[in-house]
Amino acid sequence: MKTMILIAGLVSTIGLEGQILAIGTKYSTPDDFSVNANFNFPYNPDNAGEELDEGLFFGADYSLSLNNSDESFRGLKLTPLAYQKKIISSDRSRMGVYLGAESSYLFNSGKGKDGVVLSPYVKILSGNNHIFSLKTGYEYNTSDGNNQVFAQLNIDLFAVFLDSLHMKF
């Protein structure tokens, strides 16, 4: 039964544009390079299956530092609210550029404090089914005033799966 619910949930997102389940790397300072896994789902119940040029999202991100940097925002980051809007689109190159902002709660596994993290960003999605993404932005932890500029490169595993089935989402 759980498998059927998961499949129904994933299939209901077909036709949406954006990363669903992704893994990648994140670079924030010369001393910090991390791997991350994340998922994002749009709040789009009325228009399921349509391409989403603008909208609200929720999701989670988990980052693990490869060199145990104390400065990084690493750990579990839950994002109950994120907004992004497509500002540039190219059907020929299968690329989209988005501006966005998110508010998250970080359960920091480093020496920093847990807390609310605010993050404006620019995201570029590219490839068939938008398999690749490059997200760059700024993160600010409101609990301890810690901040960082970051660049994050991801590959969307769900899009790779759909691409292997020759499906578009």
Side-chain angles (χ1 to χ4, degrees):
M1 183 64 176
K2 289 180 184 179
T3 304
M4 292 304 291
I5 292 171
L6 177 64
I7 291 171
L10 292 175
V11 169
S12 69
T13 63
I14 292 173
L16 297 175
E17 198 166 297
Q19 299 248 310
I20 301 295
L21 175 62
I23 60 170
T25 61
K26 186 174 184 178
Y27 174 82
S28 56
T29 66
D31 296 332
D32 184 43
F33 189 74
S34 61
V35 293
N36 69 298
N38 61 59
F39 73 90
N40 293 297
F41 289 100
Y43 291 117
N44 194 26
D46 296 333
N47 300 317
E50 292 182 15
E51 184 175 310
L52 194 59
D53 292 337
E54 175 179 22
L56 297 173
F57 293 80
F58 68 95
D61 184 281
Y62 184 80
S63 293
L64 176 66
S65 180
L66 295 178
N67 54 357
N68 296 323
S69 171
D70 292 334
E71 300 176 19
S72 67
F73 285 57
R74 61 180 176 191
L76 179 63
K77 189 168 72 169
L78 299 177
T79 306
L81 183 61
Y83 171 80
Q84 70 182 26
K85 179 174 178 58
K86 186 187 284 185
I87 56 171
I88 300 173
S89 179
S90 171
D91 291 336
R92 184 172 161 222
S93 65
R94 298 182 181 139
M95 185 181 91
V97 178
Y98 295 80
L99 281 179
E102 61 186 43
S103 61
S104 307
Y105 191 84
L106 174 67
F107 296 95
N108 202 337
S109 62
K111 290 189 176 179
K113 290 183 178 179
D114 295 355
V116 174
V117 175
L118 304 176
S119 178
Y121 62 85
V122 175
K123 182 191 273 186
I124 301 170
L125 298 175
S126 183
N128 287 338
N129 291 327
H130 289 170
I131 291 174
F132 302 102
S133 78
L134 174 64
K135 181 178 177 181
T136 185
Y138 174 80
E139 293 177 311
Y140 176 73
N141 187 334
T142 60
S143 297
D144 62 7
N146 198 6
N147 61 68
Q148 70 181 15
V149 174
F150 69 91
Q152 181 175 327
L153 181 63
N154 285 333
I155 183 166
D156 187 344
L157 299 176
F158 189 65
V160 169
F161 171 72
L162 290 178
D163 199 45
S164 71
L165 298 175
H166 305 291
M167 297 175 73
K168 181 177 183 339
F169 95 111

